[in-house]
Amino acid sequence: MQILVTGNQGYIGPVLTALAKARGHSVTGFDIGYFADGTPDPAVHRQVCGDVRDIAAKDLEGIDAIIHLAALSNDPMGALDPELTLDINFRASARLASLAKSVGVPRFIFASSCSLYGASGGEAALDETAPLQPVSAYALSKAKTEEALLALADRHFSPVLMRNATAYGVGPRPRFDLVVNNLAGWAHTDGVLRILSDGTPWRPLVHIEDIALAALSAAEAPTNIVHAQAFNIGHPDGNYQVRDIALAVQTAFAGSQLEFSGIANQDSRSYRVSFDKALNHLPGYVPHWTLDRGIDQVARWLGAGGLGPDRFNSPRFIRLAHLQQAMAQGLLDRKLRPASHPN
Ligand SMILES: NC(=O)c1ccc[n+]([C@@H]2O[C@H](COP(=O)([O-])OP(=O)(O)OC[C@H]3O[C@@H](n4cnc5c(N)ncnc54)[C@H](O)[C@@H]3O)[C@@H](O)[C@H]2O)c1
């Protein structure tokens, strides 16, 4: 298959392109390069440097499936500028999907998020029919995009909505702004895990390699199974309260301490989800990573000096700080376009 992966130069992207190549697909990458570090993605046969807000029909020629990752990709980043988040995450995604449909790309895999379940509370595990309760600009952008994609579905165009849990794990471009990796970063660097809540919120978790596997399974599946379907993506045991995540990380870092801020409502997100639909109906989706194994992977990477000269919470590893730094340095303008862009 010819697959276009947008956002291939981020956290999940290079893991996904490597797996796609290993499964025999030919991959084109499309990325604006917010986090490009001069290392080309070895798994793509063609890299386009571009903004999804400007993507054109010619970029989609010969493509059988689009896996659309490009976005301002978490709740804190969405808070940078909510309108800009809607521009990049929702309007550009809806436009890309319309363009894809108009040029005959049959399948569109969208990297959505369990964040759109928002403040559902965590009492029951939510399946894909649960009402959406976005509590952030980021989650709202995902919910609106899902709605727009479903409206485009017909017998020639199949959108698939991958509601990924919160990611963890190590890839070529690791992040430390996500709960598991962040706590591991604290444990490694300071020996103290700082939890910015009272530890009770629920978070579903998934390793980045299992997100990649799910997206490719959706690209390869028979149309009738995935057409216009949403799938929660995670491991069968993938729901944790933040304090349990912290305890698991603490266990992996001998001698580390836990510190709770005790502020219960700073972040109102709390949700538990059911992954049964993907586990039972998405062909080939067999997640491989348990949380303990993933923490061990992060711990080993940190222990082997993976951070190099940087702290885990430096702009190199925290996406919001990275973009703010690029803006402060005049490399990106307020619309997150390269400063030289004519607008
Ligand atoms: N990481 C997670 O926990 C998680 C969980 C659920 C869903 N997702 C979704 O998966 C996708 C990928 O996440 P990630 O963690 O790899 O994010 P990331 O921020 O690490 O990477 C996103 C990539 O998209 C690119 N990009 C952003 N805006 C662009 C634009 N206007 N034009 C072209 N490229 C652009 C960036 O340069 C970057 O390489 C996102 O859509 C995210 O919302 C991520």
Side-chain angles (χ1 to χ4, degrees):
M1 241 193 278
Q2 299 281 340
I3 302 183
L4 178 80
V5 179
T6 71
N8 70 301
Q9 295 176 326
Y11 177 42
I12 296 167
V15 177
L16 195 152
T17 56
L19 186 64
K21 187 179 178 196
R23 289 165 84 103
H25 301 298
S26 172
V27 183
T28 299
F30 186 102
D31 199 299
I32 197 168
Y34 289 150
F35 308 101
D37 51 13
T39 323
D41 182 342
V44 300
H45 85 275
R46 182 165 161 253
Q47 180 70 52
V48 181
C49 179
D51 192 322
V52 284
R53 288 169 287 186
D54 307 325
I55 199 163
K58 68 172 172 36
D59 296 310
L60 310 181
E61 270 168 21
I63 297 296
D64 303 305
I66 296 173
I67 301 181
H68 181 43
L69 303 177
L72 298 183
S73 60
N74 60 22
D75 293 279
M77 284 191 25
L80 183 68
D81 178 341
E83 200 49 41
L84 183 60
T85 301
L86 286 178
D87 267 347
I88 294 177
N89 291 13
F90 161 52
R91 294 184 192 100
S93 301
R95 181 182 156 275
L96 170 59
S98 294
L99 201 58
K101 180 174 172 174
S102 72
V103 301
V105 178
R107 196 162 299 188
F108 191 94
I109 315 299
F110 174 55
S112 188
S113 167
C114 287
S115 265
L116 42 67
Y117 297 120
S120 305
E123 282 76 36
L126 306 171
D127 70 16
E128 290 79 356
T129 62
L132 307 185
Q133 300 193 41
V135 292
S136 65
Y138 170 72
L140 181 66
S141 76
K142 295 291 185 188
K144 287 173 78 78
T145 305
E146 285 198 358
E147 193 184 0
L149 295 182
L150 291 178
L152 291 170
D154 67 11
R155 66 197 176 88
H156 303 293
F157 184 72
S158 297
V160 192
L161 315 174
M162 313 304 287
R163 295 182 181 163
N164 298 302
T166 298
Y168 63 88
V170 179
R173 218 168 264 118
R175 308 298 194 206
F176 284 89
D177 49 12
L178 296 156
V179 61
V180 174
N181 292 9
N182 185 267
L183 291 173
W186 281 116
H188 171 78
T189 306
D190 287 6
V192 180
L193 286 75
R194 301 210 159 77
I195 297 115
L196 304 175
S197 73
D198 63 356
T200 57
W202 285 92
R203 284 286 181 288
L205 300 174
V206 62
H207 192 279
I208 46 175
E209 286 182 18
D210 288 334
I211 292 182
L213 175 66
L216 285 164
S217 302
E220 294 164 358
T223 305
N224 64 320
I225 294 180
V226 294
H227 176 81
Q229 294 296 311
F231 294 97
N232 295 335
I233 298 302
H235 189 270
D237 305 318
N239 290 289
Y240 296 86
Q241 285 184 289
V242 171
R243 63 180 173 225
D244 296 326
I245 303 170
L247 283 169
V249 174
Q250 188 190 22
T251 307
F253 289 84
S256 59
Q257 306 290 317
L258 294 188
E259 196 178 282
F260 291 89
S261 77
I263 306 165
N265 293 322
Q266 213 175 34
D267 181 348
S268 60
R269 286 176 304 148
S270 183
Y271 42 92
R272 249 178 350 123
V273 304
S274 161
F275 302 110
D276 288 353
K277 184 175 172 186
L279 292 167
N280 295 328
H281 300 292
L282 188 56
Y285 179 60
V286 182
H288 298 300
W289 286 84
T290 60
L291 179 59
D292 286 343
R293 229 184 108 216
I295 292 171
D296 187 53
Q297 182 198 36
V298 181
R300 281 169 193 271
W301 185 86
L302 289 165
L307 293 172
D310 300 307
R311 266 184 74 87
F312 76 96
N313 53 3
S314 74
R316 186 172 150 214
F317 299 115
I318 306 286
R319 285 168 282 198
L320 176 59
H322 182 95
L323 291 182
Q324 285 174 322
Q325 184 183 61
M327 284 194 283
Q329 291 171 340
L331 301 173
L332 294 174
D333 69 15
R334 294 175 51 155
K335 297 292 175 205
L336 292 179
R337 290 187 180 276
S340 55
H341 189 277
N343 278 307

